[in-house]
Amino acid sequence: MAKILVTGGNGYIGSHTVVALQACGHRVVIADNLCNSKTYVKERIARISGSAPGFYQIDLADLRQVQQLAEQEGGFDGIIHFAAHLFVEESVAKPLKYYSNNLKATMHLLEVFANDGQPINMVFSSSCTVYGNPDKLPISENEPIKEAVSPYGNTKVIGEQILRDHAVASGQCRVVALRYFNPTGAHESGLLGEDPIGHHTHLVPIITEVARGKRPVLKVFGADYPTRDGTCVRDYIHVCDLARAHVLALDYLAQGRNEHPFEAINIGSGTGQTVLEMVDAYQKATGLSIPYELAPRRPGDAGAVYADIRLANATLGWEPKFSLSDMLLSTYQWEKSLS
Ligand code: UDP
């Protein structure tokens, strides 16, 4: 049993990961400022796990608050770092908000918990956004990192660089950056799922709003991409599969199985779906009809993005267990339970 700090543990992927950690017997402390998650989440985590994680409502961009967390909790065996602002469009409008918050949080964690030779294992929430519009598919971890399209994406690129440089220099800090593709789905208990403050911006929750009559029609952003049916291809991965990858990544570091102080690993399904294939799969999974219309491309969208997931299998022994239909049906059921 290890004591793990989960920053952003009240959020969508964070909360599912906390449940997965607790199911493996780990003791979890959450640090979250609740900027994009709701207070009911931590009670739901306790209901699923049968025990409440520690909880600090703190702002990691404030160094003093991170120091106070360390004073109260002492050290941790591992850190999973999710806490970040994550809206691409907002980041274009407010780049400083994103650079300041996301990069300070990462640096403060390192300064407080990974400095002066303190040993620490960290898993960093990264994204396939670091590959930009990729040259080769499926995308392996050896593909070049591209200049990010948005300040949000850039905080992931720079965040990885900071962690890599620090891990190499310190010799005691070991980091796995998990590069997520498109997380979706909800917990099988029906108690956790994606519930942002504000509007949904991702495809599957938006399709769900159309299915439930909350939106009249799905706008399909772009039908002239060089793909099977002209619409964008993405790699959708169930949030519970993603959560499990974090637990395995911590075990991997704890057992010293990593070859390098910093390693990046893709977490996706390994297959790509077009937007129209997603509409079709959703209709089949739920029996509901999804009206859609073709719309102009969304600025900044890459045509096709899907993962080579062989490294995750070889290093972590991870492979996805949930199907696309599981992802779509659980999202539908989750959204229905919200209202
Ligand atoms: N998409 C769409 N209509 C929407 C929302 C998304 O056609 O209302 C498309 C989007 O252009 C992209 C895919 O669905 O090709 C996945 O978008 P999402 O925002 O979920 O994830 P991204 O890969 O952009 O991070």
Side-chain angles (χ1 to χ4, degrees):
M1 183 183 118
K3 183 180 172 192
I4 311 297
L5 173 65
V6 182
T7 76
N10 210 58
Y12 173 45
I13 305 170
S15 59
H16 288 78
T17 301
V18 170
V19 167
L21 286 165
Q22 290 183 313
C24 293
H26 296 306
R27 211 177 115 210
V28 177
V29 174
I30 293 175
D32 196 307
N33 68 0
L34 302 182
C35 76
N36 190 34
S37 63
K38 307 203 174 145
T39 46
Y40 72 78
V41 174
K42 63 181 198 297
E43 285 123 43
R44 300 267 181 102
I45 292 173
R47 253 167 83 189
I48 296 170
S49 299
S51 70
F55 192 93
Y56 290 81
Q57 185 176 346
I58 59 167
D59 193 348
L60 302 172
D62 178 349
L63 179 62
R64 187 70 207 118
Q65 294 188 39
V66 185
Q67 287 165 334
Q68 279 165 353
L69 170 69
E71 281 156 21
Q72 289 183 46
E73 283 293 329
F76 293 97
D77 300 305
I79 298 176
I80 304 185
H81 178 33
F82 293 103
H85 292 324
L86 45 71
F87 296 111
V88 172
E89 268 183 47
E90 186 191 39
S91 80
V92 174
K94 298 179 182 170
L96 280 186
K97 173 176 174 180
Y98 276 67
Y99 286 119
S100 176
N101 181 74
N102 293 6
L103 300 182
K104 276 188 199 160
T106 303
M107 290 201 293
H108 291 164
L109 287 172
L110 292 176
E111 279 164 28
V112 172
F113 294 108
N115 230 341
D116 302 324
Q118 291 175 80
I120 190 81
N121 297 327
M122 261 182 97
V123 179
F124 178 57
S125 167
S126 190
S127 163
C128 65
T129 190
V130 304
Y131 299 117
N133 202 345
D135 301 324
K136 261 201 264 165
L137 291 166
I139 307 170
S140 88
E141 292 81 354
N142 298 324
E143 283 305 298
I145 300 302
K146 295 276 182 66
E147 192 181 329
V149 180
S150 69
Y152 160 74
N154 224 4
T155 66
K156 293 298 175 193
V157 173
I158 301 168
E160 283 198 10
Q161 284 169 348
I162 292 170
L163 289 161
R164 179 188 290 110
D165 289 347
H166 183 74
V168 169
S170 89
Q172 296 296 318
C173 169
R174 299 186 279 205
V175 182
V176 166
L178 294 180
R179 294 178 178 159
Y180 317 150
F181 282 64
N182 289 57
T184 193
H187 195 262
E188 60 199 354
S189 64
L191 293 172
L192 294 175
E194 191 169 7
D195 186 12
I197 299 204
H199 302 297
H200 277 301
T201 55
H202 290 128
L203 179 66
V204 177
I206 289 174
I207 295 180
T208 307
E209 288 178 346
V210 176
R212 301 195 59 223
K214 292 184 157 187
R215 277 182 197 241
V217 70
L218 170 73
K219 286 191 166 68
V220 175
F221 297 143
D224 58 349
Y225 287 96
T227 61
R228 290 187 285 280
D229 58 23
T231 66
C232 286
V233 169
R234 292 290 182 274
D235 178 333
Y236 297 89
I237 180 73
H238 197 294
V239 65
C240 291
D241 278 327
L242 191 50
R244 193 163 39 82
H246 291 79
V247 181
L248 293 172
L250 270 186
D251 291 347
Y252 173 73
L253 292 174
Q255 292 160 8
R257 288 188 282 126
N258 56 309
E259 271 185 48
H260 307 286
F262 175 95
E263 293 178 7
I265 302 175
N266 288 341
I267 302 292
S269 71
T271 57
Q273 316 291 329
T274 69
V275 177
L276 294 181
E277 285 165 354
M278 289 297 279
V279 169
D280 189 48
Y282 198 98
Q283 293 182 142
K284 286 195 175 115
T286 62
L288 297 164
S289 95
I290 312 294
Y292 68 85
E293 65 189 26
L294 303 182
R297 288 184 179 199
R298 190 171 65 174
D301 267 346
V305 178
Y306 57 95
D308 179 335
I309 55 171
R310 283 174 299 178
L311 187 64
N313 189 255
T315 51
L316 308 181
W318 175 89
E319 61 183 4
K321 289 187 176 160
F322 292 92
S323 68
L324 185 60
S325 160
D326 294 329
M327 298 178 217
L328 301 176
L329 208 50
S330 63
T331 303
Y332 172 67
Q333 280 156 352
W334 165 248
E335 285 285 329
K336 221 166 67 165
S337 77
L338 287 177
S339 56

